[in-house]
Amino acid sequence: MADTEKTCCSFCGAEKSPSVPLIAGTEGRICEACVTLAHKVVSSWGQRRKSQQLAPQLRTPAAYKQHLDESVIGQEAAKETLAVAVYNHYLRLLNCDREPICQLGEEVELEKSNILMAGPSGTGKTLLVRSLARILGVPFATADATTLTQAGYVGDDVDSIITRLLEAANGDVQQAQWGIVYIDEVDKLAKRSGGGTAVRDISGEGVQQALLKMVEGTEVRIAKSGRRNEHSEEQVVDTRNILFIAGGAFPGLEALVCSRLQPKTGGIGFHAQPPRQEQPSINELLAALLPDDLHEFGLIPEFIGRFPIITFLQELDHATLLRILTEPRNALVKQYKQLFAYQGVTLEVSEAALNHIADQALTRKTGARGLRAVLEAALQQTMFSMPSKPLLRGCTLDLVEAGAEWHLDVLETLAEEGDVEQADGRLLPEASPQQALMSVDL
């Protein structure tokens, strides 16, 4: 008697047919549909494992702001905005597989909110994002918008941003899809008015249009070999869960905001209104920033819409620059003290010198970067001669009067007799007894 049992899939029970082939195992069979479903289930396990690894590192927005306070002085509004945005972003990712808790009776899909930061140069935009990525423990990549061009032209295309993020994740696609991308100098992508010429803007508006899908969320194919060709193996990175943060100085943006807040009147003679004596400060103008101002600056509306969270960083004043010199964990004065300590020399900076350094940085209008430039120029001669002076034990940077001007001087303290020892522990021949203060005019 013939066997009338039909061959079926051991998972879904589908019968074997020319259109439904089965893969046979030792004790069962499986169809193509069940293989596809099993692949999705196994892939979700990997995402759950990543969620479990990231879950203990998720902290409250207040904890994120406290961590940022250790590295960045001031910018309270920007810190709070970043802390809340990052917390909500990763809270959404950690709960994407859970049952929705909603009183509307339907499933609600949460979308990500990218961030756009505007502020003068040297106010701490890059440092804020880097500090956040460090405390989260997620891959972080920085891209310079000035090097980006449209695909097919000389320069980096937008896919190179995801390549850098994948390299920061050591090639782990799942981990890279939880990362943070910071696009610096995004104001350089503003479209340029070409007048009557028909020149294609490959590094301005063209890059903005190329970034639209990536920032919103799409699948980017990255070649494992680094170069894309028809025989290279590719990796697919989904950018829907990657947080994009864009920042730029936007020079001239405050003038656009001022013209909107204080439009020029067209009256003449007795009908003309007198000009206002008090002009709003840069911080007041940036606080009144609207998306229309960014559009007027040169960003296309589609690109602005991909960054619903817009925050600004205030211009640094004298008091903030003084705090930046000494208070942060990696303060500039602490860095130079450590550099001198490597050579067995102590470094002290007087209050008058600190105030003078802050004043000089304000004059240069380069923000916190100007502080390092002033300190480097003041200590350059001392750092040049210090390795050749084994008797040197201490330096004091002070402000002294030289004629009608004030200069930063370095007072050098030499070792006494019998107390001559190098930083590496080797003893030197005894020197003649002396303790001198050498003034170096810078």
Side-chain angles (χ1 to χ4, degrees), residues 78-158:
K79 290 178 186 176
E80 292 180 2
T81 302
L82 281 175
V84 173
V86 169
Y87 177 80
N88 289 338
H89 176 74
Y90 286 100
L91 183 67
R92 175 181 69 91
L93 296 184
L94 292 172
N95 293 276
C96 61
D97 293 334
R98 297 184 181 180
E99 292 294 330
I101 303 175
C102 183
Q103 298 179 356
L104 301 178
E106 57 185 4
E107 184 176 355
V108 177
E109 183 178 354
L110 302 179
E111 297 181 354
K112 67 176 179 179
S113 298
N114 299 310
I115 309 168
L116 177 63
M117 296 190 301
S121 177
T123 52
K125 297 183 290 292
T126 307
L127 183 58
L128 279 172
V129 182
R130 189 184 298 116
S131 301
L132 266 180
R134 189 185 306 117
I135 189 177
L136 284 168
V138 297
F140 172 71
T142 303
D144 188 1
T146 59
T147 63
L148 298 177
T149 58
Q150 283 184 280
Y153 292 89
V154 176
D156 298 333
D157 57 359
V158 295

Side-chain angles (χ1 to χ4, degrees), residues 178-195:
W178 287 66
I180 297 177
V181 171
Y182 177 62
I183 306 176
D184 199 7
E185 305 292 346
V186 74
D187 55 310
K188 306 303 185 294
L189 298 180
K191 58 181 179 181
R192 299 160 178 81
S193 58

Side-chain angles (χ1 to χ4, degrees), residues 31 43 104 164 175 208 234 247 259 268 276 291-292 321 429 442:
C31 65
S43 300
L104 301 178
R164 296 176 188 175
Q175 189 176 3
Q208 293 186 51
E234 295 181 337
S259 63
I268 59 175
R276 299 184 181 181
D292 291 341
L321 290 174
L442 300 179

Side-chain angles (χ1 to χ4, degrees), residues 168-301:
N170 297 323
D172 190 344
V173 176
Q174 292 289 341
Q175 189 176 3
Q177 292 177 163
W178 287 66
I180 297 177
V181 171
Y182 177 62
I183 306 176
D184 199 7
E185 305 292 346
V186 74
D187 55 310
K188 306 303 185 294
L189 298 180
K191 58 181 179 181
R192 299 160 178 81
S193 58
T197 61
V199 179
R200 186 179 182 88
D201 189 5
I202 62 171
S203 61
E205 184 180 358
V207 177
Q208 293 186 51
Q209 295 173 352
L211 284 171
L212 294 180
K213 283 297 182 182
M214 178 182 295
V215 171
E216 184 178 14
T218 186
E219 292 184 352
V220 180
R221 298 185 179 275
I222 305 297
K224 287 186 176 181
S225 60
R227 293 185 177 181
R228 181 177 298 177
N229 54 63
E230 55 180 326
H231 301 293
S232 63
E233 188 177 356
E234 295 181 337
Q235 294 175 303
V236 179
V237 180
D238 192 350
T239 64
R240 288 179 299 174
N241 295 330
I242 297 177
L243 181 63
F244 287 87
I245 303 176
F250 293 93
L253 181 62
E254 58 274 7
L256 298 175
V257 180
C258 185
S259 63
R260 176 175 56 83
L261 297 178
Q262 299 179 352
K264 296 181 179 180
T265 59
I268 59 175
F270 293 103
H271 300 284
Q273 297 182 359
R276 299 184 181 181
Q277 298 295 331
E278 296 183 359
Q279 293 293 333
S281 63
I282 295 180
N283 294 337
E284 294 174 347
L285 293 175
L286 290 179
L289 180 65
L290 293 178
D292 291 341
D293 302 320
L294 296 174
H295 181 210
E296 188 73 18
F297 184 83
L299 298 183
I300 61 177

Side-chain angles (χ1 to χ4, degrees), residues 378-379 382 395-398 408-412 438-440 442:
L379 298 174
T382 302
C395 294
T396 302
L397 182 62
D398 201 357
L408 290 173
D409 281 0
V410 178
L411 306 179
E412 300 181 350
M438 302 179 62
S439 176
V440 181
L442 300 179

